[in-house]
Amino acid sequence: MSKKRIIIGLTGASGVIYGIRLLDVMQSLGVFEIHLIMSQSAEQVIKIETDYSIDQIHKKANFVHNNVDQSSSVSSGSFITSGMIIVPCSIKTLSGIKNSYNDSLMVRAADVVLKERRRLVLCIRETPFHLGHINLMEELCRMGSTIFPLIPSFYRKPNCISDIVDQVVFRILDQFGIFLEHSSRYSKN
Ligand SMILES: Cc1cc2nc3c(=O)[nH]c(=O)nc-3n(C[C@H](O)[C@H](O)[C@H](O)COP(=O)(O)O)c2cc1C
């Protein structure tokens, strides 16, 4: 069976650990061909918020695409993918996608996913929102993307940050038909 080709974008919002953990889980599942795009700001936030090197994160993907390379495969609709997850997604990137302002590969790839009617999951991280942010999200919802704010829940009584991160990551994977929250391998219960 061929692997599901998926694009993962990391932008410079807080919560890069969600994206890193998603890459880890996807890699361990062995059913995805992972195409990674990281913005320059994501690299900056990774250095501030984690102990990972950029090289370590690159190794979690099958292919790494340079965010300034518009000739990359993921820039074209003829390159078939299951969709794209941007996690975390900054307000700047949200705005770029809403306006098809395709000056980076990240935004271009998301634009392509939308125009091809594939699944686009935008894991927004900002708080609080002003009306402009909410308008951007509303419009992108209408355009077919899933707005998936990085809001953790506590009903499974997390013991640590990684429990909180995992719960969110599993919910993201639900969007692509991978249901891990209650699996024995990944659940505490
Ligand atoms: C430590 C740090 C945390 C940030 N957190 C957020 C955030 O949660 N949400 C957001 O929209 N921008 C955040 N920013 C600002 C973005 O990095 C900035 O707007 C950047 O231009 C986004 O570019 P990108 O979308 O190309 O990654 C943060 C910046 C830094 C340095």
Side-chain angles (χ1 to χ4, degrees):
M1 199 181 77
S2 63
K3 294 189 176 184
K4 271 185 189 233
R5 194 182 268 162
I6 191 149
I7 309 165
I8 304 294
L10 268 66
T11 73
S14 185
V16 284
I17 192 66
Y18 288 109
I20 296 168
R21 179 64 179 143
L22 180 69
L23 289 169
D24 273 336
V25 175
M26 283 185 138
Q27 194 179 44
S28 72
L29 290 169
V31 296
F32 291 101
E33 179 185 297
I34 304 168
H35 291 256
L36 174 65
I37 309 171
M38 290 202 289
S39 72
Q40 209 177 351
S41 302
E43 296 193 8
Q44 191 186 3
V45 177
I46 286 163
K47 283 182 196 140
I48 293 170
E49 294 190 346
T50 81
D51 295 324
Y52 286 97
S53 69
I54 302 307
D55 203 42
Q56 281 174 309
I57 295 170
H58 284 178
K59 289 197 174 104
K60 298 175 190 295
N62 300 96
F63 299 90
V64 179
H65 301 271
N66 188 325
N67 198 28
V68 299
D69 181 9
Q70 295 276 359
S71 69
S72 181
S73 53
V74 293
S75 200
S76 168
S78 61
F79 187 75
I80 309 298
T81 67
S82 306
M84 180 172 187
I85 305 169
I86 305 188
V87 53
C89 182
S90 72
I91 295 296
K92 180 197 140 192
T93 291
L94 179 80
S95 176
I97 297 168
K98 148 67 180 66
N99 293 295
S100 298
Y101 192 75
N102 297 339
D103 71 337
S104 65
L105 183 64
M106 182 84 66
V107 176
R108 168 66 187 166
D111 199 50
V112 167
V113 165
L114 275 180
K115 84 180 173 73
E116 299 294 337
R117 305 290 195 269
R118 296 173 191 150
R119 184 164 284 275
L120 178 64
V121 177
L122 301 174
C123 301
I124 312 301
R125 215 310 312 180
E126 187 52 276
T127 196
F129 295 126
H130 62 59
L131 185 59
H133 300 153
I134 293 167
N135 287 341
L136 291 171
M137 286 187 266
E138 181 189 353
E139 196 55 38
L140 275 161
C141 230
R142 289 185 198 283
M143 288 158 69
S145 73
T146 298
I147 301 297
F148 193 115
L150 292 169
I151 301 174
S153 69
F154 296 90
Y155 47 79
R156 289 177 69 82
K157 298 193 176 117
N159 287 322
C160 54
I161 290 174
S162 72
D163 284 355
I164 295 170
V165 170
D166 275 4
Q167 192 269 343
V168 171
V169 164
F170 296 162
R171 295 287 286 117
I172 295 170
L173 280 166
D174 288 353
Q175 296 289 318
F176 285 84
I178 307 283
F179 307 110
L180 293 178
E181 193 169 9
H182 299 287
S183 81
S184 55
R185 183 171 168 204
Y186 290 97
S187 162
K188 283 185 298 178
N189 303 322

